[in-house]
Amino acid sequence: MTATLNTTIIQNASSSTPNITLDTVGNAAFGGMPYGASSFKRNRIINGNILIDQRNNGASVTASTTGSDVYTVDRWSYYVTQASKFTVQQNAGSVTPPAGFTKYLGFTSSSAYTSVSTDLLVGFQWIEGYNVADLNFGTANAKTITVSFWAYSSLTGTFAGSVIGTNGSAFRSYVFTFSLASANTWTYITVTIPGDTTTFSYNTTNGQGLALSFNLGCGSNYQTTAGSWSSSNYYSVSGAQNITATSGATFYITGVQLEVGSVATPYEFNPYSDQLAQCQRYYQIGSAQMSSYGVVSNGFSYFVPLQVSMRVAPTYSSTFSYNLNCSSGTVYSASTVGAVHQVTITSTGQVAFSEQYSASAEL
Amino acid sequence: MYTNAQYMKDMNGNQSGIKVDINGIESFVPLDPANTDYIKIMALVQEGKLTITPAS
């Protein structure tokens, strides 16, 4: 049964002014400020609609590096204990995304691999501690959160994901499951997760705050029962689909949102420029070009500011093109706002070079 | 993953970063204890799996 409240003004009994005034064409004017359970922007996931892919610009990446977090599309990474069991790509397989979206994150199995107990193959996003500090995880005041996303797979059945926190040495995790009943069909998933009230020092500054992960091929050591918080890093449940077990199997996601409360609200779209800037706090690419006069054996140094202040002083990778009388480019004295770049002058006279760099301050 | 590590000096002769190959790509890691690469490099050094040569 539905009911309609027909009124023009909603006003607190103790107030002398309306809280909400409704007009005849669908508008609502607030007398004060509207706010929800959180005053923060709702979605704690960055690049949840997979628009930004600075590193690969839509190209496929084989998950070949084992034992460390490897970033693919912006803010999203993989961790694997077995090399080359799947590929990662923005819009892998070129299927039509859900309405309102243009991009998705696609994982495609490269073979039929049976995971052993110690295997960990996941895709995930770390959220910076500053951006989840208000959740009060690890305290009695921990807030309920809701994760929502669109999922698509060539397989059907039960899939698994988890929310994970760390204090640098120990973990907390909450495994959840979701069902995809129809193959090759986008399905909207919502999962509500109670806040973690067990005493634990979640990072609340510029380190790893919370991770949202999706199982791709975990072994039994990383499986537990879904639906409760655990004092370890679990990612899946027994019987959940491992896409890496089926050659060519796919798992795609987009519209990923993690927010405060027990209700999944519509995906929070950001202007492209805002979303790019959010990503650039963790990774950015740039270029510099110089032409000047130099004296042999001296260094030619210049400060290159970053486009957005980064999470920490970043790691640089630079490709120099030495056009005239210079070599041996380096980058040093990096800070969150820029770094000194330098080439060594090989002959006195005109010096010319260009440089393309990436700066990474990932979690 | 991390190979050929060497400290770098700035124009004043102060230690200013580490030049290191990360997965074969020449990279420059700042001496920032919150930088993920710096944390991993220092862990490898502590485990005796990586040596950082002095600046040239």
Side-chain angles (χ1 to χ4, degrees):
Chain A
M1 189 179 83
T2 58
T4 301
L5 173 64
N6 290 304
T7 189
T8 305
I9 293 174
I10 299 173
Q11 184 170 323
N12 185 289
S14 302
S15 173
S16 59
T17 55
N19 293 72
I20 304 174
T21 304
L22 308 175
D23 68 15
T24 58
V25 291
N27 299 307
F30 289 80
M33 289 296 293
Y35 61 90
S38 168
S39 57
F40 204 90
K41 291 185 76 173
R42 298 198 319 279
N43 193 3
R44 310 309 169 86
I45 295 290
I46 295 173
N47 202 28
N49 59 353
I50 324 296
L51 269 185
I52 314 292
D53 185 13
Q54 294 183 86
R55 288 177 181 79
N56 302 300
N57 196 26
S60 178
V61 174
T62 298
S64 57
T65 302
T66 60
S68 64
D69 300 351
V70 178
Y71 284 81
T72 55
V73 302
D74 279 66
R75 302 301 307 123
W76 292 94
S77 52
Y78 71 77
Y79 185 99
V80 295
T81 52
Q82 300 288 337
S84 306
K85 300 306 177 191
F86 61 85
T87 58
V88 190
Q89 186 178 16
Q90 183 191 55
N91 285 11
S94 301
V95 303
T96 302
F101 296 93
T102 59
K103 304 291 183 187
Y104 57 87
L105 176 58
F107 301 94
T108 305
S109 176
S110 302
S111 61
Y113 172 72
T114 302
S115 294
V116 299
S117 60
T118 54
D119 276 339
L120 176 57
L121 297 94
V122 290
F124 61 95
Q125 178 172 142
W126 272 114
I127 305 171
E128 187 173 346
Y130 281 129
N131 295 346
V132 289
D134 65 312
L135 303 183
N136 294 322
F137 274 29
T139 77
N141 299 317
K143 296 177 181 176
T144 295
I145 59 173
T146 294
V147 174
S148 56
F149 55 94
W150 287 90
Y152 176 113
S153 178
S154 59
L155 306 176
T156 60
T158 300
F159 292 74
S162 66
V163 172
I164 293 174
T166 182
N167 60 8
S169 55
F171 290 92
R172 298 286 295 166
S173 63
Y174 183 103
V175 174
F176 60 85
T177 61
F178 55 97
S179 178
L180 297 181
S182 301
N184 301 322
T185 304
W186 286 104
T187 304
Y188 184 60
I189 306 293
T190 68
V191 181
T192 295
I193 297 171
D196 183 10
T197 55
T198 298
T199 300
F200 187 78
S201 296
Y202 282 86
N203 186 293
T204 56
T205 59
N206 67 343
Q208 295 174 334
L210 276 184
L212 173 63
S213 81
F214 294 93
N215 169 58
L216 301 171
C218 289
S220 58
N221 286 7
Y222 296 101
Q223 297 170 348
T224 188
T225 304
S228 62
W229 284 96
S230 301
S231 298
S232 190
N233 55 331
Y234 291 118
Y235 299 84
S236 187
V237 299
S238 175
Q241 286 285 13
N242 283 346
I243 69 153
T244 49
T246 304
S247 183
T250 58
F251 178 67
Y252 304 158
I253 52 172
T254 193
V256 186
Q257 184 151 289
L258 186 154
E259 61 192 306
V260 174
S262 56
V263 175
T265 63
Y267 182 79
E268 182 180 58
F269 286 93
N270 289 304
Y272 183 90
S273 54
D274 289 4
Q275 191 161 318
L276 176 60
Q278 289 174 352
C279 294
Q280 286 175 323
R281 175 171 170 79
Y282 306 93
Y283 182 85
Q284 55 186 271
I285 53 179
S287 62
Q289 195 166 347
M290 289 285 173
S291 179
S292 186
Y293 182 85
V295 177
V296 65
S297 299
N298 285 324
F300 182 90
S301 303
Y302 50 104
F303 182 82
V304 179
L306 292 162
Q307 299 151 74
V308 169
S309 293
M310 301 192 76
R311 182 185 68 87
V312 296
T315 297
Y316 281 85
S317 294
S318 291
T319 302
F320 288 86
S321 296
Y322 308 109
N323 304 115
L324 207 57
N325 296 329
C326 58
S327 67
S328 307
T330 60
V331 182
Y332 61 84
S333 299
S335 72
T336 58
V337 297
V340 177
H341 301 226
Q342 178 177 296
V343 296
T344 299
I345 298 165
T346 54
S347 295
T348 298
Q350 191 71 22
V351 174
F353 59 93
S354 60
E355 174 197 4
Q356 292 191 319
Y357 65 85
S358 67
S360 174
E362 295 286 7
L363 286 159
Chain B
M1 183 181 182
Y2 295 93
T3 54
N4 301 324
Q6 182 180 27
Y7 281 110
M8 297 186 300
K9 286 183 177 176
D10 65 16
M11 60 189 82
N12 298 315
N14 301 314
Q15 218 164 63
S16 61
I18 301 169
K19 185 167 86 170
V20 61
D21 291 343
I22 303 177
N23 295 324
I25 298 172
E26 185 178 79
S27 303
F28 308 98
V29 176
L31 306 177
D32 183 339
N35 177 287
T36 308
D37 291 309
Y38 182 78
I39 293 168
K40 290 177 181 173
I41 287 169
M42 288 299 120
L44 289 172
V45 169
Q46 201 158 28
E47 294 167 11
K49 295 177 179 174
L50 181 69
T51 300
I52 309 174
T53 59
S56 56

